């Protein structure tokens, strides 16, 4: 997958889908969510609302593009973090 804003490795995306049942394409919508929250991690890992629900996405910057590394289903504590952040504002 590659466009002006995002890129990812197609093989890694296929493996990610097999492992987590989440594809990188809907994970891109996490970045459109104004209520997306980053959790305490050593990587860039926002949790945001995408087409298929809440998705934590691990990414890095590659030039002016966002390179998606992984995306998966949300865990209970991450869901709570996201919703608490929405109640408390940005």
């Amino acid at each position: 997958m590659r466009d002006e804003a995002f890129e990812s490795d197609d093989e890694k995306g296929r493996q990610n889908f097999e492992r987590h049942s989440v594809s990188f394409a809907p994970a891109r919508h996490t970045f459109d969510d104004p209520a997306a929250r980053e959790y305490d991690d050593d990587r860039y890992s926002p949790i945001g609302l995408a087409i298929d629900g809440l998705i934590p996405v691990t990414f890095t910057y590659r030039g002016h593009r966002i390179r998606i590394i992984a995306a998966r289903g949300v865990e209970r504590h991450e869901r709570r973090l996201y919703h608490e952040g929405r109640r408390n504002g940005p």
Side-chain angles (χ1 to χ4, degrees):
M1 171 182 71
R2 186 178 177 111
D3 60 28
E4 288 185 25
F6 295 93
E7 67 177 60
S8 64
D9 180 275
D10 291 338
E11 177 61 20
K12 175 103 170 133
R14 185 186 63 72
Q15 292 171 359
N16 189 86
F17 184 79
E18 288 176 1
R19 185 173 184 189
H20 302 292
S21 299
V22 177
S23 76
F24 288 167
R28 299 183 327 176
H29 296 281
T30 299
F31 297 89
D32 296 332
D33 181 359
R37 297 288 181 256
E38 286 192 33
Y39 60 95
D40 190 13
D41 200 336
D42 294 335
R43 303 160 297 197
Y44 296 109
S45 300
I47 301 168
L49 192 58
I51 293 171
D52 296 335
L54 289 176
I55 298 177
V57 178
T58 301
F59 73 98
T60 190
Y61 291 103
R62 172 117 2 130
H64 65 279
R65 287 189 181 92
I66 293 171
R67 182 169 180 87
I68 297 176
I69 299 167
R72 58 179 171 73
V74 70
E75 295 178 7
R76 179 179 283 156
H77 74 278
E78 294 166 330
R79 183 178 303 280
R80 186 173 47 249
L81 175 69
Y82 176 83
H83 288 293
E84 285 174 0
R86 287 193 65 159
R87 283 194 300 269
N88 297 328

